[in-house]
Amino acid sequence: MLQYKGFDETDLRSDRVMRLQRGIGRTLLAGYLAITLARRQFSFGCESLNEKHVCFSRAYGNSVTMAEEAKKRAGYAAVDNHVQNNHVVGVGSGSTIVYAVDRLAERVRQEKLNIVCVPTSFQARQLILQRGLTLSDLDRHPELDVAIDGADEVDSALTLIKGGGGCLTQEKIVAGCAKHFIVIADFRKDSKSLGQQWKKGVPIEVIPMAYVPVTRTIVRRFGGEVALRMAISKAGPVVTDNSNFLLDWKFEKAYNWKEVNTAIKMIPGVVETGLFVGMAERVYFGMEDGSVRIRDPPIH
């Protein structure tokens, strides 16, 4: 005899059991529909990004992949428009530059180009080597044909905030050695004025022993807040490729950035700032609709 806990075969015919069965059925149906809807909304897919097999949910992945596609388009456009055979190329740092290096390696293979690369960081050096490109340095190639790098924020005058990844000093040195400094970014980095999109402040690289007096001087002269950047996967502060510390200055208003950059650099103990003023020749923005927007410096 088929039995359920608490009921015999006779009970199964009762109204009470029938109602229980219908309730269970509705609950199961509701659960099934909820799971089906969730799977449709957050179904997982896998793509190969930067040679890594990445799985992501559609709801979250759409925004992520849109930004990644924007970075890719910007990086490809910059390499295609500014790199030629026999060029010495400065290679920047960050997530967007990965796509530029991918395109550069692709063109070297397909077009048999003779390209020499000068990195701005250990990350850039590894990218160059991993993609089979020719690695050099500023000792052997102190003058570059072009430098391509990303940015944390770009304003309407092409003033940049860089250094979110901690490589600002070497990035600025390499950019300063290039005949042409080209910036690549996605649509999230485009601002009318600095601070509109990037909320983490201006990075400032400092000699470790000087971070407290430098902090006090910046706050006293310019206001805002200054914080020593702390590491996430290690105890203590972030240490740059140059064995220095990083301060992040959250400013409260717009400034004449050329004057502020010069003033901060004159503070004893400051190595470099993440303000790139009057350096970028052109910026390529990968946009949400798949296009690439080009911005040149304003004509005064």
Side-chain angles (χ1 to χ4, degrees):
M1 178 183 296
L2 182 63
Q3 289 187 338
Y4 290 81
K5 186 175 181 180
F7 301 102
D8 58 21
E9 192 171 20
T10 303
D11 292 327
L12 291 174
R13 298 189 184 95
S14 69
D15 290 340
R16 181 181 177 187
V17 174
M18 294 298 290
R19 287 196 299 271
L20 180 61
Q21 288 177 324
R22 285 196 296 270
I24 292 172
R26 285 194 296 269
T27 301
L28 291 174
L29 178 60
Y32 171 77
L33 291 175
I35 292 172
T36 301
L37 180 62
R39 283 178 174 171
R40 288 180 180 178
Q41 186 175 0
F42 300 105
S43 59
F44 281 82
C46 295
E47 288 188 7
S48 181
L49 297 175
N50 303 334
E51 299 182 352
K52 295 180 180 179
H53 202 56
V54 180
C55 295
F56 53 90
S57 71
R58 244 180 231 159
Y60 173 70
N62 282 344
S63 61
V64 173
T65 54
M66 184 183 296
E68 292 302 317
E69 183 64 25
K71 294 177 184 180
K72 179 178 179 180
R73 289 180 182 275
Y76 275 46
V79 171
D80 288 347
N81 290 342
H82 297 278
V83 177
Q84 300 176 18
N85 190 33
N86 296 319
H87 266 186
V88 181
V89 180
V91 176
S93 308
S95 59
T96 308
I97 202 67
V98 173
Y99 296 104
V101 176
D102 285 344
R103 179 56 177 162
L104 185 59
E106 188 177 75
R107 286 192 59 199
V108 167
R109 290 193 302 269
Q110 293 176 350
E111 303 172 34
K112 310 300 181 184
L113 300 182
N114 177 35
I115 299 295
V116 174
C117 298
V118 175
T120 60
S121 65
F122 183 80
Q123 178 222 8
R125 179 182 183 277
Q126 294 305 102
L127 278 174
I128 292 166
L129 293 175
Q130 289 168 2
R131 300 308 190 268
L133 296 167
T134 302
L135 177 69
S136 189
D137 52 42
L138 292 177
D139 291 342
R140 287 171 285 185
H141 294 91
E143 185 175 286
L144 315 178
D145 294 288
V146 61
I148 300 176
D149 206 345
D152 297 309
E153 190 172 34
V154 184
D155 74 4
S156 58
L158 266 60
T159 299
L160 317 176
I161 289 180
K162 290 177 53 57
C167 306
L168 58 152
T169 298
Q170 293 180 194
E171 288 172 344
K172 191 175 281 190
I173 291 170
V174 170
C177 292
K179 298 175 184 176
H180 306 283
F181 177 41
I182 306 301
V183 176
I184 53 178
D186 65 77
F187 53 89
R188 300 171 301 176
K189 311 300 177 63
D190 185 8
S191 292
K192 183 178 180 180
S193 58
L194 294 185
Q196 180 181 337
Q197 299 285 357
W198 181 253
K199 305 298 184 181
K200 298 181 180 180
V202 175
I204 301 167
E205 185 164 348
V206 299
I207 301 297
M209 68 171 291
Y211 85 90
V212 171
V214 169
T215 295
R216 291 166 60 90
T217 301
I218 292 173
V219 172
R220 184 175 66 252
R221 294 181 61 179
F222 302 106
E225 299 179 2
V226 178
L228 178 64
R229 190 182 300 182
M230 303 303 291
I232 296 175
S233 299
K234 66 175 282 291
V238 171
V239 178
T240 70
D241 286 356
N242 308 308
S243 301
N244 294 319
F245 288 172
L246 287 170
L247 301 176
D248 290 300
W249 170 45
K250 295 182 180 180
F251 50 91
E252 298 176 331
K253 61 180 181 179
Y255 288 90
N256 179 320
W257 293 115
K258 183 176 182 180
E259 292 180 0
V260 169
N261 179 60
T262 300
I264 292 177
K265 288 182 65 173
M266 292 300 293
I267 300 172
V270 171
V271 177
E272 188 56 84
T273 82
L275 290 167
F276 284 53
V277 185
M279 298 186 70
E281 177 179 308
R282 173 171 287 180
V283 179
Y284 289 83
F285 290 106
M287 304 306 295
E288 295 169 282
D289 62 3
S291 65
V292 176
R293 179 183 297 168
I294 297 174
R295 181 181 298 167
D296 293 325
I299 299 175
H300 296 290

